mmCIF file with all atom_site columns, all heavy atoms in Angstrom:
data_model
loop_
_atom_site.group_PDB
_atom_site.id
_atom_site.type_symbol
_atom_site.label_atom_id
_atom_site.label_alt_id
_atom_site.label_comp_id
_atom_site.label_asym_id
_atom_site.label_entity_id
_atom_site.label_seq_id
_atom_site.pdbx_PDB_ins_code
_atom_site.Cartn_x
_atom_site.Cartn_y
_atom_site.Cartn_z
_atom_site.occupancy
_atom_site.B_iso_or_equiv
_atom_site.pdbx_formal_charge
_atom_site.auth_seq_id
_atom_site.auth_comp_id
_atom_site.auth_asym_id
_atom_site.auth_atom_id
_atom_site.pdbx_PDB_model_num
ATOM 1  N N   . VAL R 1 62 ? 6.120  15.528 9.722  1.00 98.00 ? 66 VAL R N   1
ATOM 2  C CA  . VAL R 1 62 ? 5.178  14.403 9.709  1.00 98.00 ? 66 VAL R CA  1
ATOM 3  C C   . VAL R 1 62 ? 5.841  13.181 9.076  1.00 98.00 ? 66 VAL R C   1
ATOM 4  O O   . VAL R 1 62 ? 5.771  12.064 9.605  1.00 98.00 ? 66 VAL R O   1
ATOM 5  C CB  . VAL R 1 62 ? 3.888  14.775 8.955  1.00 98.00 ? 66 VAL R CB  1
ATOM 6  C CG1 . VAL R 1 62 ? 3.021  13.535 8.724  1.00 98.00 ? 66 VAL R CG1 1
ATOM 7  C CG2 . VAL R 1 62 ? 3.097  15.820 9.728  1.00 98.00 ? 66 VAL R CG2 1
ATOM 8  N N   . VAL R 1 63 ? 6.485  13.384 7.936  1.00 98.00 ? 67 VAL R N   1
ATOM 9  C CA  . VAL R 1 63 ? 7.149  12.269 7.253  1.00 98.00 ? 67 VAL R CA  1
ATOM 10 C C   . VAL R 1 63 ? 8.233  11.662 8.139  1.00 98.00 ? 67 VAL R C   1
ATOM 11 O O   . VAL R 1 63 ? 8.341  10.433 8.264  1.00 98.00 ? 67 VAL R O   1
ATOM 12 C CB  . VAL R 1 63 ? 7.735  12.742 5.910  1.00 98.00 ? 67 VAL R CB  1
ATOM 13 C CG1 . VAL R 1 63 ? 8.553  11.631 5.256  1.00 98.00 ? 67 VAL R CG1 1
ATOM 14 C CG2 . VAL R 1 63 ? 6.626  13.214 4.967  1.00 98.00 ? 67 VAL R CG2 1
ATOM 15 N N   . MET R 1 64 ? 9.013  12.518 8.788  1.00 98.00 ? 68 MET R N   1
ATOM 16 C CA  . MET R 1 64 ? 10.131 12.021 9.594  1.00 98.00 ? 68 MET R CA  1
ATOM 17 C C   . MET R 1 64 ? 9.650  11.341 10.874 1.00 98.00 ? 68 MET R C   1
ATOM 18 O O   . MET R 1 64 ? 10.045 10.208 11.171 1.00 98.00 ? 68 MET R O   1
ATOM 19 C CB  . MET R 1 64 ? 11.065 13.173 9.954  1.00 98.00 ? 68 MET R CB  1
ATOM 20 C CG  . MET R 1 64 ? 12.285 12.726 10.764 1.00 98.00 ? 68 MET R CG  1
ATOM 21 S SD  . MET R 1 64 ? 13.447 14.069 11.107 1.00 98.00 ? 68 MET R SD  1
ATOM 22 C CE  . MET R 1 64 ? 12.475 15.060 12.248 1.00 98.00 ? 68 MET R CE  1
ATOM 23 N N   . PHE R 1 65 ? 8.792  12.013 11.640 1.00 98.00 ? 69 PHE R N   1
ATOM 24 C CA  . PHE R 1 65 ? 8.422  11.478 12.946 1.00 98.00 ? 69 PHE R CA  1
ATOM 25 C C   . PHE R 1 65 ? 7.459  10.299 12.848 1.00 98.00 ? 69 PHE R C   1
ATOM 26 O O   . PHE R 1 65 ? 7.413  9.459  13.753 1.00 98.00 ? 69 PHE R O   1
ATOM 27 C CB  . PHE R 1 65 ? 7.845  12.581 13.827 1.00 98.00 ? 69 PHE R CB  1
ATOM 28 C CG  . PHE R 1 65 ? 8.907  13.497 14.378 1.00 98.00 ? 69 PHE R CG  1
ATOM 29 C CD1 . PHE R 1 65 ? 9.191  14.702 13.764 1.00 98.00 ? 69 PHE R CD1 1
ATOM 30 C CD2 . PHE R 1 65 ? 9.645  13.131 15.494 1.00 98.00 ? 69 PHE R CD2 1
ATOM 31 C CE1 . PHE R 1 65 ? 10.186 15.533 14.246 1.00 98.00 ? 69 PHE R CE1 1
ATOM 32 C CE2 . PHE R 1 65 ? 10.638 13.949 15.990 1.00 98.00 ? 69 PHE R CE2 1
ATOM 33 C CZ  . PHE R 1 65 ? 10.921 15.169 15.367 1.00 98.00 ? 69 PHE R CZ  1
ATOM 34 N N   . GLU R 1 66 ? 6.707  10.215 11.760 1.00 98.00 ? 70 GLU R N   1
ATOM 35 C CA  . GLU R 1 66 ? 5.878  9.028  11.525 1.00 98.00 ? 70 GLU R CA  1
ATOM 36 C C   . GLU R 1 66 ? 6.667  7.934  10.806 1.00 98.00 ? 70 GLU R C   1
ATOM 37 O O   . GLU R 1 66 ? 6.124  6.871  10.525 1.00 98.00 ? 70 GLU R O   1
ATOM 38 C CB  . GLU R 1 66 ? 4.641  9.406  10.709 1.00 98.00 ? 70 GLU R CB  1
ATOM 39 C CG  . GLU R 1 66 ? 3.669  10.341 11.409 1.00 98.00 ? 70 GLU R CG  1
ATOM 40 C CD  . GLU R 1 66 ? 2.966  9.701  12.578 1.00 98.00 ? 70 GLU R CD  1
ATOM 41 O OE1 . GLU R 1 66 ? 2.905  8.454  12.645 1.00 98.00 ? 70 GLU R OE1 1
ATOM 42 O OE2 . GLU R 1 66 ? 2.480  10.438 13.453 1.00 98.00 ? 70 GLU R OE2 1
ATOM 43 N N   . ASN R 1 67 ? 7.935  8.246  10.487 1.00 98.00 ? 71 ASN R N   1
ATOM 44 C CA  . ASN R 1 67 ? 8.833  7.309  9.804  1.00 98.00 ? 71 ASN R CA  1
ATOM 45 C C   . ASN R 1 67 ? 8.197  6.776  8.520  1.00 98.00 ? 71 ASN R C   1
ATOM 46 O O   . ASN R 1 67 ? 8.159  5.562  8.264  1.00 98.00 ? 71 ASN R O   1
ATOM 47 C CB  . ASN R 1 67 ? 9.215  6.150  10.728 1.00 98.00 ? 71 ASN R CB  1
ATOM 48 C CG  . ASN R 1 67 ? 10.417 5.383  10.205 1.00 98.00 ? 71 ASN R CG  1
ATOM 49 O OD1 . ASN R 1 67 ? 11.253 5.934  9.474  1.00 98.00 ? 71 ASN R OD1 1
ATOM 50 N ND2 . ASN R 1 67 ? 10.511 4.106  10.535 1.00 98.00 ? 71 ASN R ND2 1
ATOM 51 N N   . LEU R 1 68 ? 7.708  7.699  7.696  1.00 98.00 ? 72 LEU R N   1
ATOM 52 C CA  . LEU R 1 68 ? 7.034  7.326  6.463  1.00 98.00 ? 72 LEU R CA  1
ATOM 53 C C   . LEU R 1 68 ? 8.055  7.135  5.343  1.00 98.00 ? 72 LEU R C   1
ATOM 54 O O   . LEU R 1 68 ? 9.008  7.905  5.213  1.00 98.00 ? 72 LEU R O   1
ATOM 55 C CB  . LEU R 1 68 ? 6.024  8.405  6.062  1.00 98.00 ? 72 LEU R CB  1
ATOM 56 C CG  . LEU R 1 68 ? 4.989  8.800  7.120  1.00 98.00 ? 72 LEU R CG  1
ATOM 57 C CD1 . LEU R 1 68 ? 4.043  9.859  6.562  1.00 98.00 ? 72 LEU R CD1 1
ATOM 58 C CD2 . LEU R 1 68 ? 4.214  7.584  7.608  1.00 98.00 ? 72 LEU R CD2 1
ATOM 59 N N   . THR R 1 69 ? 7.832  6.128  4.537  1.00 97.00 ? 73 THR R N   1
ATOM 60 C CA  . THR R 1 69 ? 8.644  5.893  3.345  1.00 97.00 ? 73 THR R CA  1
ATOM 61 C C   . THR R 1 69 ? 7.722  5.587  2.172  1.00 97.00 ? 73 THR R C   1
ATOM 62 O O   . THR R 1 69 ? 6.536  5.311  2.344  1.00 97.00 ? 73 THR R O   1
ATOM 63 C CB  . THR R 1 69 ? 9.621  4.720  3.555  1.00 97.00 ? 73 THR R CB  1
ATOM 64 O OG1 . THR R 1 69 ? 8.877  3.542  3.904  1.00 97.00 ? 73 THR R OG1 1
ATOM 65 C CG2 . THR R 1 69 ? 10.617 5.033  4.666  1.00 97.00 ? 73 THR R CG2 1
ATOM 66 N N   . ASP R 1 70 ? 8.280  5.633  0.961  1.00 96.00 ? 74 ASP R N   1
ATOM 67 C CA  . ASP R 1 70 ? 7.498  5.396  -0.261 1.00 96.00 ? 74 ASP R CA  1
ATOM 68 C C   . ASP R 1 70 ? 6.236  6.256  -0.264 1.00 96.00 ? 74 ASP R C   1
ATOM 69 O O   . ASP R 1 70 ? 5.134  5.790  -0.551 1.00 96.00 ? 74 ASP R O   1
ATOM 70 C CB  . ASP R 1 70 ? 7.132  3.919  -0.398 1.00 96.00 ? 74 ASP R CB  1
ATOM 71 C CG  . ASP R 1 70 ? 8.361  3.043  -0.553 1.00 96.00 ? 74 ASP R CG  1
ATOM 72 O OD1 . ASP R 1 70 ? 9.308  3.486  -1.235 1.00 96.00 ? 74 ASP R OD1 1
ATOM 73 O OD2 . ASP R 1 70 ? 8.385  1.942  0.011  1.00 96.00 ? 74 ASP R OD2 1
#
Side-chain angles (χ1 to χ4, degrees):
V66 170
V67 174
M68 182 176 69
F69 284 97
E70 295 292 339
N71 196 26
L72 306 181
T73 57
D74 296 322

